[in-house]
Amino acid sequence: MQEGEQILITAVIPTYKREVWLARSVNSILEQGLSADELEVIVVNDSGEPLAEAPWQSDPRVRVLTTYRVERCVARNLGAALSQGKYLHFLDDDDYLLPGAYSQLLDRAEQTGATWTYGAYNLVDDNGRQIGDTMLPWVRGRVFALALAGLAIPGGVSLVRRDAFFEAGCFDVEMLVQQDTELLQRISVLGATEYTRGVVANYRTGVTEVSTTKWSRSDKMGDMKKEKAFIMPCCVGEIELCFAERERKEVRGKLVRYYLGSAARHTKQHAYLTALSRVGIAIRLALRGLLFPIFWAGLRGKS
Amino acid sequence: MQISCIIATYKREKLLARAVKSVLQQEVDADFEVIVVNDSGEPLSPADWQKDTRVRVYLTNRSERSFARNAGLAMAKGEYVHILDDDDYMLPGAYETLLSRARETDADWVHGYYEFLDRDEEFVDEVRPVWQGRVFAVALIECPYIAQPSLVKRETVMNVGGYDPAFTTTQDTELFLRIAAAGQVIVSNAVVCKILLGNTDASHTKYWLRKDMNRMLREKAFGRRDCLRLLLKSFKDVSDPWVRGRIVRCYIGSAVRNLRSGAIMTSFSRLWGMMVISLAGVVRWRFWRAVLGR
């Protein structure tokens, strides 16, 4: 792979001992109709053991790397570091793209220059049957405040600009779950988010026991993700910027609740000064919402 | 596999060849591998060291050194990792010395002595760091050339999260500070490598950022929930009042910076840290000299 003619998309798929699903996932990318000049697929095999031979491995667009039981984020960062593409696409090994996904996402991303472009997706069970409604996208522009308030956009339905990904500092390896949302938090500060309404991927859901994901840690991670945002120097400014673009009183209320929650946690850990500064920011944010019932609903967690 | 050596390189192939060969020529009773991460975005020209089966070369596309090294770390197989710069090189017997010391003590991090060379490869100085045990306090104030003469357990490096990409210089100090917080350090009494100094124009390192990065590094460390506890624990192993004084100085600097940027609460918490640290030092002359920056 040489510089010059730039590759458009690098798909990064970390995998751990799920080769049946993996083949489906890789093939769904190879069948998107992009040539070897436009697409590369980096499979990071984290099991430390060689993969069984499969037809997709002989495709010139595919590259397999082996790591030895590192966290998923480390594997993804590795794929990104070795990538050449203008956009990065992080797919999990048990999820797969639908036909035409890349062309829709690429069109939108190239048109708007957004740092993060995403589409709709379905949740499916092990037999590929759809569970529930299609998850439709609904936000664009500056989304930091929403990302902090819990907006979850999976990496598998998103194209992320490579330069922004590195500027934001890659996936945070401390995050054992919710890595995508935490990354969105940091990337949303660097530019706009865009969406396309087409359904781009099927997400397999339900079975967690074969996964290397540490679900048991997920409650701690939620708090950690918030703290990581709170200590960003631009945090309050960026929240106000988002609300200046589009005011959402219920989100404002939710953020005030998060700030107060953080204050309570810090008080418990005897970090009184940090707790005080969180309360200060909570009050500052609350001032513009006090008169609206929907703000109070958000604050109480009933929105 | 016992040792994985990771060398990130950027357009310095002649020096790189020397660095790689200095590792390949190590005589040690252990398996090792060399992972060269070429961050120049262009392929390396062919050389004989690339034919060695212990060497793997990867191309990253100008993604900064920390990313490149993290990529190397992710693919490392060894029990210990060794991070070398492309312009420095190991002395014969280095791996043997470091590895036997590491096995003997089961430390998370073993480091040795090193020599500085100037631009013309003339000897400048030999550095003999003596600190061992819990060295968080020392690592916080200064040890700029720290990765090259060290072997670290891969598990420890991965547990602390590898390099922080926010640091474009002093990333070694920052990583090893976190390693020092997580584990035990042992010193090995032999010169293990030579480090090239002053070749800043040919380097990919952003030296002009060093001062900012050093500050950022301290802010990150002071921001840790367990920072004070680590420092106090560390002073049991490192009892030098001078180190104590330097840290107090850092705390004061941080308090002033935070006050200026409006983070009043953080500033207060730094002053609190300063008071806790200085308690045991006030009667020592060396402590005050360090506080005053002499």
Side-chain angles (χ1 to χ4, degrees), chain B residues 30-277:
Chain B
D31 285 343
F32 62 89
E33 62 178 352
V34 181
I35 300 175
V36 175
V37 188
N38 171 17
D39 198 28
S40 68
E42 295 156 24
L44 295 171
S45 49
D48 10 316
W49 58 263
Q50 290 163 19
K51 291 180 195 127
D52 197 301
T53 50
R54 294 170 291 179
V55 176
R56 289 189 275 160
V57 181
Y58 294 96
L59 185 64
T60 48
N61 195 6
R62 307 198 56 176
S63 50
E64 282 283 348
R65 188 161 34 177
S66 295
F67 296 115
R69 286 186 178 163
N70 275 341
L73 282 171
M75 289 180 290
K77 208 175 173 179
E79 190 189 348
Y80 293 92
V81 292
H82 172 228
I83 295 148
L84 191 63
D85 273 354
D86 56 356
D87 57 346
D88 309 326
Y89 61 98
M90 303 306 287
L91 294 173
Y95 274 11
E96 181 65 53
T97 319
L98 289 173
L99 190 63
S100 60
R101 194 91 175 100
R103 280 175 175 159
E104 215 170 276
T105 55
D106 196 37
D108 298 277
W109 167 16
V110 178
H111 67 114
Y113 302 161
Y114 51 94
E115 279 177 13
F116 284 130
L117 303 179
D118 68 8
R119 203 181 282 248
D120 307 314
E121 313 251 321
E122 297 291 331
F123 174 83
V124 180
D125 197 7
E126 185 185 302
V127 184
R128 297 171 167 239
V130 289
W131 28 271
Q132 49 184 2
R134 301 251 161 207
V135 300
F136 185 75
V138 188
L140 181 60
I141 52 167
E142 58 179 331
C143 26
Y145 299 91
I146 200 170
Q148 296 93 329
S150 303
L151 278 193
V152 198
K153 274 192 186 154
R154 180 166 69 99
E155 203 190 341
T156 313
V157 179
M158 292 327 252
N159 283 346
V160 301
Y163 281 97
D164 182 341
F167 289 81
T168 47
T169 68
T170 66
Q171 49 297 78
D172 288 335
T173 321
E174 200 276 329
L175 171 66
F176 280 78
L177 182 61
R178 277 179 285 132
I179 295 172
Q184 288 281 346
V185 181
I186 289 293
V187 75
S188 162
N189 313 323
V191 180
V192 293
C193 70
K194 300 208 182 203
I195 294 176
L196 216 63
L197 268 187
N199 204 0
T200 51
D201 47 343
S203 165
H204 191 34
T205 312
K206 290 169 179 155
Y207 282 104
W208 64 89
L209 285 175
R210 175 154 272 166
K211 206 169 175 185
D212 291 343
M213 290 290 159
N214 267 326
R215 286 181 177 161
M216 195 164 120
L217 179 152
R218 289 185 199 129
E219 285 305 324
K220 187 177 170 187
F222 289 150
R224 286 176 73 123
R225 169 106 310 128
D226 53 355
C227 181
L228 259 183
R229 195 150 36 86
L230 283 167
L231 283 172
L232 293 175
K233 218 187 248 173
S234 171
F235 284 127
K236 286 177 188 159
D237 289 343
V238 185
S239 51
D240 191 348
W242 188 79
V243 174
R244 204 179 270 274
R246 281 294 306 275
I247 286 178
V248 165
R249 198 177 153 82
C250 294
Y251 262 116
I252 296 171
S254 170
V256 172
R257 272 196 304 283
N258 276 301
L259 195 63
R260 271 204 205 134
S261 61
I264 300 162
M265 293 300 163
T266 316
S267 179
F268 274 127
S269 87
R270 298 289 187 267
L271 288 176
W272 165 248
M274 179 207 80
M275 286 191 292
V276 173
I277 296 295

